[in-house]
Amino acid sequence: MNASPFWQLGLYLAVLLALAWPLGRYLAHVLDGRLSSRYAWLGRFERGVCRLIGSDPNEDMPWWRYATAILLFNIAGVIAVYAVQRLQGGLPLNPSGMTAVEAGSAFNTAVSFVTNTNWQGYAGETTMSYLTQMLVLTVQNFLSAATALAVVIALIRGFVRRSAAGLGNAWLDLGRATGYVLLPLSLLFALFLVGQGVIQNFSAYRDVKLVEPITYQQQKTDARGQPLVDAAGKPVMETVKTDKQTLAMGPVASQEAIKMLGVNGGGFFNANSAHPFENPTPLSNFAQMLSIFLIPAALCFMFGRLVGDLRQGVALLAAMTLIFIAMFAVVQWSEMHANPLLTQLGVDGSAGNMEGKETRFGIVASTLFATITTAASCGAVNAMHDSLLPLGGLVPMWLMQLGEVVFGGVGSGLYGMLVFAMLAVFLAGLMIGRTPEYLGKKIEAYEMKMVSIAILITPLLVLGGTAVAVLSKAGLAGVFNPAAHGFSEVLYAFSSAANNNGSAFAGLSVNTPFYNILLGLAMWLGRFVPIVAVLAIAGNLARKPRLAVSAGTMPTHGPLFVVLLVGAVIIVGALTYIPALALGPVVEQLQLFGH
């Protein structure tokens, strides 16, 4: 199973680019309204839907109106997701009799799915009914991705338009992203997954007889099915002996498709894409990895087409790809080494560190998946990140801390990288003594203030949240591992939440009031503060004239700019997070291999 990592990586990137190129052309036609302008009946349909929801389809919203619409839309989503969870015990499509989700967990989950984070402090197969999975969680997988697509198209309009007051219509952009992009792609991908063996049904859970009885420990639950903890906040465990296994069923393929394509990551099952009902074969695993990067890569080609210079999009894609390849090489090198703590017990380490990995995927497919899911803001996993060696675990954590701009989320990855592009040209302008420009628009004080807010809000949430957790009794109560690794688990949790990734080091117990509220706030602010800042930038840029290219204009499409952009991303990430990383995975690596 452990084929050459360079062969697998090369094949992956080749197929990805081959699919992203035509999809980028399609996105350029549908997301900016060209398709509806070409077909009159489609334009009439869009305008009719807008009037149905009470919106003027001809309104060209200024940035603050656009931001208000986005915020109200997502606040309504939080309310809907929360309400259905709390009421699911009395709603249909609940063959397993799932009771109402506890209030704190429901709040955290609602914020999580609306912000595209899909952080899960619960096990889906033991907590959520089929109706909840489909009606609110799967629906939000579509709508959260559509939100970021709408924001990035608004930012692109800011670069393209000249002396304009508006950025387009948020409701039209949300509808186009959902109806023309996410729905058709998800339908095709769901059919493929069903063909690979991913289940799609409404059957009740099935009990199967075991070959021999087993004894195991599990956390006790109360009458409502919620996990119990003692006075110190530790789980209350019970010993169970059984001669049967319950196999969870459900409409998995339909959720799995948008979970990957929308770069959401929330699994139907607790084991996520390591579960054979979500990801049964090496081919389904390869396709799921492709689907995570597909739309983010295609958006780079779309960006180049919409700004009138395809090289601009290729430069952004090149910067993303260079960082991704370097990070994958580090994780792969780390995981090919055996864990010395296990080899001391007599475990064969010749195959590398197989702890927490599926044998049907092996180390290469597991490390590639881990790098992809954290470079993008996906968070789906086919192996347990908590079982990665310290250096291998550092890379996924740092990829999130870079701001999820290495491909990143659907839409959010591109607008995040464009924020760094503006920072890069500003730094270059300071060095050469010229007013910085990007795509013909001057990058001035207002833009840099908004850039600073968009970049710095997530480190504030990550480092501040981690500090509060490790200095409080409630935060430490959820840490089951001692010393450096326990700190890493807390740092990973807040890095994942604030950057809207959703993956976790699984040794941290987070389904508690403390973590449900604190991580929920981190997810909300980490999502919408940058969105408002990006839309403010877009609105200011749209009002500016577009300057002609001159001999003094710095090219932003060549290798020099790619290096400058990569440097801006890496340096900001390094200066911000290396001290914290030194207390966690770096110390743990030295302890593990330094003797």
Side-chain angles (χ1 to χ4, degrees):
M1 297 303 298
N2 289 323
S4 166
F6 300 104
W7 180 86
Q8 286 203 33
L9 178 63
L11 176 64
Y12 174 80
L13 291 175
V15 177
L16 174 68
L17 294 177
L19 294 174
W21 172 263
L23 180 59
R25 296 190 61 176
Y26 174 74
L27 294 177
H29 279 84
V30 300
L31 290 181
D32 201 31
R34 299 180 185 182
L35 191 67
S36 52
S37 298
R38 182 175 180 181
Y39 297 102
W41 64 270
L42 195 57
R44 288 194 296 271
F45 173 77
E46 290 180 351
R47 291 190 292 273
V49 172
C50 272
R51 293 190 181 97
L52 186 65
I53 63 173
S55 173
D56 179 4
N58 298 315
E59 181 183 7
D60 191 18
M61 296 179 175
W63 79 265
W64 61 270
R65 282 271 296 142
Y66 201 103
T68 301
I70 291 293
L71 288 172
L72 291 176
F73 179 71
N74 284 276
I75 290 171
V78 170
I79 295 171
V81 178
Y82 180 84
V84 172
Q85 289 179 89
R86 297 290 286 154
L87 298 172
Q88 74 172 4
L91 297 175
L93 289 178
N94 189 8
S96 298
M98 302 295 182
T99 57
V101 181
E102 186 270 330
S105 179
F107 163 77
N108 183 276
T109 302
V111 173
S112 173
F113 276 76
V114 168
T115 58
N116 200 249
T117 310
N118 291 39
W119 173 271
Q120 294 175 290
Y122 62 91
E125 63 268 45
T126 60
T127 307
M128 301 297 180
S129 70
Y130 294 166
L131 184 72
T132 303
Q133 295 271 25
M134 292 187 303
L135 183 62
V136 289
L137 301 189
T138 301
V139 167
Q140 280 303 322
N141 283 348
F142 283 96
L143 300 183
S144 63
T147 294
L149 283 173
V151 172
V152 78
I153 201 69
L155 178 59
I156 294 172
R157 291 189 188 119
F159 285 113
V160 173
R161 293 185 175 185
R162 307 178 183 186
S163 305
L167 296 175
N169 189 299
W171 305 112
L172 281 176
D173 291 338
L174 288 167
R176 289 165 180 162
T178 305
Y180 303 154
V181 180
L182 299 171
L183 274 172
L185 287 176
S186 296
L187 176 61
L188 293 174
F189 192 38
L191 292 174
F192 168 81
L193 291 174
V194 170
Q196 287 295 298
V198 178
I199 64 172
Q200 179 75 14
N201 59 54
F202 294 100
S203 303
Y205 290 7
R206 299 177 182 177
D207 290 333
V208 296
K209 189 81 172 178
L210 296 176
V211 175
E212 59 183 27
I214 61 170
T215 301
Y216 62 95
Q217 281 198 321
Q218 67 179 19
Q219 189 171 1
K220 293 184 69 173
T221 58
D222 59 22
R224 296 178 300 168
Q226 301 304 316
L228 292 175
V229 295
D230 59 22
K234 302 294 184 181
V236 178
M237 308 301 291
E238 62 180 347
T239 300
V240 180
K241 183 176 182 179
T242 184
D243 62 351
K244 65 180 181 180
Q245 179 181 1
T246 300
L247 299 181
M249 298 285 110
V252 178
S254 54
Q255 180 167 324
E256 190 73 12
I258 185 58
K259 158 195 158 183
M260 310 308 288
L261 284 165
V263 193
N264 296 279
F268 195 97
F269 301 108
N270 190 40
N272 210 284
S273 287
H275 197 293
F277 286 175
E278 283 197 30
N279 189 12
T281 68
L283 181 57
S284 70
N285 187 68
F286 187 79
Q288 289 192 17
M289 291 192 293
L290 280 174
S291 64
I292 295 173
F293 272 4
L294 179 59
I295 297 178
L299 285 172
C300 293
F301 293 122
M302 180 201 76
F303 172 73
R305 291 183 180 280
L306 292 181
V307 300
D309 186 354
L310 190 60
R311 297 173 299 175
Q312 301 290 343
V314 172
L316 298 180
L317 185 61
M320 295 175 180
T321 305
L322 286 174
I323 299 173
F324 166 68
I325 292 173
M327 294 298 101
F328 167 68
V330 175
V331 180
Q332 175 63 26
W333 176 85
S334 174
E335 294 306 298
M336 288 307 296
H337 293 77
N339 187 330
L341 297 179
L342 295 179
T343 56
Q344 290 171 11
L345 300 175
V347 176
D348 181 13
S350 60
N353 179 34
M354 280 297 295
E355 179 193 348
K357 300 177 179 64
E358 294 291 305
T359 54
R360 70 183 187 276
F361 301 141
I363 287 180
V364 177
S366 299
T367 56
L368 183 57
F369 199 114
T371 311
I372 291 168
T373 197
T374 49
S377 62
C378 184
V381 296
N382 74 346
M384 298 301 104
H385 291 190
D386 200 35
S387 295
L388 296 171
L389 292 173
L391 186 59
L394 180 149
V395 170
M397 197 186 309
W398 198 37
L399 279 168
M400 294 186 294
Q401 292 166 348
L402 292 179
E404 297 290 19
V405 297
V406 183
F407 290 92
V410 169
S412 61
L414 180 56
Y415 68 64
M417 186 58 90
L418 287 171
V419 166
F420 274 101
M422 286 182 272
L423 175 63
V425 297
F426 179 78
L427 294 175
L430 291 178
M431 289 187 284
I432 62 176
R434 289 183 56 87
T435 301
E437 300 174 16
Y438 187 58
L439 301 178
K441 297 295 180 81
K442 288 185 177 181
I443 306 301
E444 297 174 304
Y446 180 83
E447 285 80 17
M448 290 314 301
K449 291 176 183 177
M450 294 300 107
V451 164
S452 299
I453 291 172
I455 291 175
L456 295 178
I457 182 62
T458 47
L460 177 63
L461 294 169
V462 172
L463 299 177
T466 301
V468 171
V470 299
L471 292 175
S472 64
K473 183 178 179 180
L476 291 175
V479 180
F480 296 157
N481 291 287
H485 192 72
F487 177 82
S488 294
E489 290 173 344
V490 177
L491 180 62
Y492 193 107
F494 282 95
S495 299
S496 179
N499 290 285
N500 304 132
N501 182 271
S503 63
F505 273 4
L508 182 69
S509 178
V510 293
N511 196 7
T512 63
F514 176 85
Y515 281 110
N516 280 331
I517 294 172
L518 202 58
L519 291 173
L521 292 175
M523 288 185 278
W524 183 264
L525 295 173
R527 174 72 161 180
F528 291 107
V529 170
I531 280 179
V532 172
V534 165
L535 290 174
I537 292 170
N540 206 51
L541 291 175
R543 288 193 290 267
K544 296 182 178 184
R546 195 170 185 181
L547 305 176
V549 177
S550 67
T553 301
M554 175 185 154
T556 55
H557 54 70
L560 181 61
F561 178 72
V562 171
V563 172
L564 182 63
L565 180 55
V566 170
V569 173
I570 297 296
I571 291 171
V572 169
L575 293 177
T576 306
Y577 289 107
I578 279 184
L581 293 170
L583 297 174
V586 173
V587 167
E588 191 180 1
Q589 179 80 10
L590 294 174
Q591 291 174 334
L592 194 61
F593 292 96
H595 53 77

